[in-house]
């Protein structure tokens, strides 16, 4: 029997990472994959514009006048995954390639998700990040980092 098969964590994070590749954001591509207690995927998302908003008609910039940046328009990966979900999210886990912001955190908590598994936390220490962790700690929603997937994928893809 093959022993180096992919773990559940790597598998679901891999799906999140694959979803992130759909993002049109040139700076930060985020993917999310929601999994129920039976290890079934119940929602997937990535950061993108609302349905009907043409990717080429809106800015993807980070700087400049607020209306000329992506920030007022882009839907984060987590709400996209929550809104795409097919069932109740009670006691589910969410795999995200980037630690959720405070706004996404509110939705994650309210949807009944009980654990966040993230890959990157590049905004660690920012006000949004601190607020997110404060809410998660208070609501007793667990969060943990997962890094192995990068190593695994690199070695698999180089075969
Ligand atoms: O929780 C999140 N989920 C998510 O999908 N995003 C998206 C929104 C933007 O398209 C991008 C953040 O852009 P930037 O890193 O360039 O500021 O990532 C950003 C966050 C914030 O950490
Ligand atoms: Zn967010």
């Amino acid at each position: 029997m093959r022993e180096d098969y992919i773990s559940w964590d790597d598998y679901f994070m891999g799906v999140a990472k694959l979803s992130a590749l759909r993002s049109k954001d040139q700076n930060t591509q985020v993917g999310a994959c929601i999994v129920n207690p039976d290890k079934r995927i119940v929602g997937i998302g990535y950061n993108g514009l609302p349905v009907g908003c043409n990717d080429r008609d809106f800015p993807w910039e980070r700087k400049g006048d607020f209306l000329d940046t992506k920030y007022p328009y882009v839907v984060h990966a987590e709400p996209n995954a929550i809104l795409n979900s097919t069932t109740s999210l009670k006691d589910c886990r969410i795999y995200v390639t980037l630690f959720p912001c405070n706004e996404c955190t509110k939705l994650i908590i309210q949807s009944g998700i009980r654990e966040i598994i993230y890959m990157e936390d590049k905004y660690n220490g920012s006000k949004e990040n601190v607020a997110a962790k404060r809410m998660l700690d208070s609501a007793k929603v667990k969060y943990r980092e997962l890094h192995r997937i990068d190593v695994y994928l690199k070695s698999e893809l180089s075969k």
Side-chain angles (χ1 to χ4, degrees):
M1 181 185 137
R2 193 173 154 245
E3 295 295 347
D4 65 339
Y5 55 90
I6 194 168
S7 69
W8 285 115
D9 272 351
D10 285 349
Y11 176 53
F12 295 129
M13 190 61 90
V15 171
K17 205 153 169 59
L18 187 66
S19 308
L21 300 181
R22 284 277 313 149
S23 175
K24 317 298 183 305
D25 190 324
Q26 70 268 40
N27 283 104
T28 308
Q29 303 85 40
V30 186
C33 174
I34 305 174
V35 179
N36 76 9
D38 296 327
K39 295 194 167 54
R40 296 215 156 84
I41 294 174
V42 291
I44 288 185
Y46 58 89
N47 52 328
L49 293 177
V51 176
C53 298
N54 193 310
D55 292 308
R56 298 194 185 280
D57 294 343
F58 287 83
W60 286 100
E61 304 307 316
R62 311 176 82 190
K63 293 201 169 97
D65 186 86
F66 183 60
L67 291 180
D68 297 329
T69 70
K70 63 187 168 183
Y71 297 110
Y73 312 110
V74 71
V75 183
H76 287 194
E78 302 90 327
N80 267 333
I82 290 170
L83 291 166
N84 286 339
S85 67
T86 47
T87 57
S88 157
L89 301 184
K90 193 174 172 298
D91 298 328
C92 283
R93 285 188 274 175
I94 186 165
Y95 290 80
V96 275
T97 58
L98 178 64
F99 197 95
C101 71
N102 60 312
E103 293 298 331
C104 291
T105 293
K106 295 178 204 174
L107 300 180
I108 289 170
I109 295 171
Q110 290 302 73
S111 70
I113 290 173
R114 298 301 305 160
E115 186 175 15
I116 298 169
I117 299 101
Y118 65 94
M119 230 166 96
E120 210 191 339
D121 192 10
K122 68 174 177 175
Y123 295 118
N124 182 28
S126 70
K127 288 198 169 107
E128 292 82 0
N129 186 275
V130 171
K133 286 170 183 164
R134 189 187 283 182
M135 288 186 278
L136 293 170
D137 292 341
S138 180
K140 297 194 172 51
V141 171
K142 293 187 280 183
Y143 48 94
R144 62 184 163 89
E145 194 177 10
L146 184 78
H147 266 320
R148 207 183 86 85
I149 181 82
D150 268 336
V151 181
Y152 187 90
L153 273 187
K154 268 185 203 131
S155 71
E156 282 301 298
L157 293 176
S158 63
K159 277 181 185 167

